[in-house]
Amino acid sequence: MTPDVAPTASLTRAAASVPAPPGTYRLQAGRSLTVLVPRRAAAVGAVLTVACVLLAAVALGVGSSSQSYADVLEVLRGGGSRVDRLVVLGWRLPRTVLALTVGAALGVSGAIFQELTRNPLGSPDLIGFTTGAQTGILVTVLLGGGALSVGPAALVGGATVALLVHTLAARGGFGGLHLVLIGIAVTAMLGSFNRWLLLRTDAASAYGAAKAVTGSLAAADARVATWAVLATCIVGALTLLHSRDLRSLDLGHDLATALGTSLRRARGTLVLLGAALVAIATTAAGPIAFVALAAPHAARLMTRAPSAPLLVSGTTGALMLLAADVTAQTLLDGLPVGVVTASTGGLYLLLLLVSDSRTRTAP
């Protein structure tokens, strides 16, 4: 009798003997897992990773304290005074790690929702998750919950809006403008509710609440950075395991179904993973706008791919947020990073629209 493994082994050897498509690397793990990686995406990802490392080195020497790069290097070697070690290891390193982590989470989340909606505007910012997190924070702060409740409040607010938008959009499908329009409607209603909350309270409480809903990395410490890294790695790994479903959905509903993808299960799982990444970022640093929207755009342009690669989008988001934080600390007198990303993200989209308009009108 012929062993059952023989046909599988033959197919594996046959598949391995077939050359990879032009412009791709073929990575094989074991006998059953083969991944094709576009060479340009791999090159762009490598360059962005190096840029993140270099910018992180710069960020360790930036801050309101007077420690120089020589002091930072001495601390990293295991030496340095007690004050230098506190500043570098206790303050600057967690802030840098948190900026990279939050940026990566937002970049991957933005790529998920833009691919799910098949719309470049389908980011968590416009769908309403960020505004939902702000609502949760405002309600908690104005009711006297205190700063310790801000993180869970953002998580509950974002998750509630995610569930609401998912429920409303499930009946009409996620394609086209359906999910985006529902998200914009929910965002508008929550924005009005947030303003009403601020107008109903006294000036001091309103100032504190408005400050709480501005994304910032100033309160980063080792505890927050550690759990944010662990949570992002876990959710990110689950997202990569379901990336095949994302690519199948990108081919269209009929073809995805023909390939064996369950549309409802795949959409529900990917929405849950994308919302979890936004919730992690918001819980760790507060609402930070435009990174989830702009990072997949930039990744798509750099890789020249029809859809934004997840890893490149995450690396782009990490670099964008860290660059915004370094800029805020060095040039803008410690302005909250959420204000910087909102300003630069709006400018980026404006330039993108002008460029697209010129391309369309060119003879």
Side-chain angles (χ1 to χ4, degrees):
M1 177 179 293
T2 304
D4 292 339
V5 72
T8 303
S10 300
L11 289 174
T12 303
R13 286 194 296 271
S17 64
V18 177
T24 63
Y25 295 112
R26 180 171 57 199
L27 305 178
Q28 188 157 353
R31 294 183 175 181
S32 57
L33 180 60
T34 301
V35 179
L36 296 177
V37 180
R39 295 186 179 184
R40 185 174 182 84
V44 171
V47 171
L48 290 173
T49 302
V50 173
C52 285
V53 173
L54 295 177
L55 189 58
V58 173
L60 290 178
V62 171
S64 57
S65 303
S66 59
Q67 280 70 23
S68 65
Y69 285 106
D71 298 327
V72 173
L73 185 60
E74 184 64 25
V75 169
L76 295 180
R77 287 176 176 173
S81 66
R82 183 177 179 181
V83 174
D84 291 343
R85 294 182 64 82
L86 174 63
V87 170
V88 176
L89 301 181
W91 297 343
R92 293 181 182 175
L93 183 60
R95 181 170 183 150
T96 302
V97 172
L98 190 61
L100 293 171
T101 305
V102 170
L106 292 175
V108 174
S109 177
I112 291 175
F113 283 107
Q114 289 183 19
E115 292 305 313
L116 272 180
T117 59
R118 306 179 74 178
N119 190 314
L121 296 178
S123 80
D125 300 329
L126 297 184
I127 289 176
F129 297 167
T130 304
T131 309
Q134 292 177 348
T135 302
I137 294 173
L138 282 175
V139 170
T140 302
V141 172
L142 295 179
L143 291 179
L148 293 178
S149 302
V150 166
L155 181 62
V156 172
T160 302
V161 173
L163 180 61
L164 175 64
V165 172
H166 180 270
T167 303
L168 293 175
R171 294 184 177 180
F174 285 82
L177 290 173
H178 191 76
L179 182 62
V180 175
L181 291 177
I182 291 176
I184 291 175
V186 172
T187 299
M189 289 187 289
L190 287 178
S192 299
F193 179 67
N194 292 348
R195 287 191 289 275
W196 178 79
L197 285 176
L198 292 175
L199 291 174
R200 292 281 297 176
T201 187
D202 58 90
S205 299
Y207 174 77
K211 190 175 180 180
V213 297
T214 303
S216 174
L217 299 169
D221 57 25
R223 181 184 60 83
V224 174
T226 300
W227 79 256
V229 170
L230 292 176
T232 302
C233 288
I234 293 172
V235 180
L238 293 175
T239 302
L240 290 179
L241 290 177
H242 289 84
S243 60
R244 181 181 179 277
D245 290 339
L246 195 62
R247 299 295 169 241
S248 297
L249 292 175
D250 192 41
L251 298 175
H253 299 167
D254 295 336
L255 189 53
T257 303
L259 291 173
T261 300
S262 172
L263 299 182
R264 176 172 297 183
R265 178 192 57 78
R267 286 170 179 161
T269 303
L270 289 167
V271 167
L272 182 63
L273 292 172
L277 289 170
V278 175
I280 293 168
T282 307
T283 303
I288 294 179
F290 275 106
V291 175
L293 179 62
H297 275 274
R300 198 178 298 115
L301 288 175
M302 288 186 290
T303 59
R304 298 177 186 174
S307 57
L310 292 177
L311 291 178
V312 177
S313 298
T315 313
T316 304
L319 183 62
M320 289 176 62
L321 189 58
L322 184 57
D325 190 47
V326 171
T327 302
Q329 292 187 76
T330 54
L331 302 177
L332 301 175
D333 196 25
L335 197 68
V337 70
V339 178
V340 180
T341 58
S343 303
T344 55
L347 180 61
Y348 170 78
L349 287 180
L350 184 62
L351 294 175
L352 196 65
L353 289 174
V354 171
S355 175
D356 183 68
S357 176
R358 289 180 177 177
T359 303
R360 290 176 183 273
T361 56

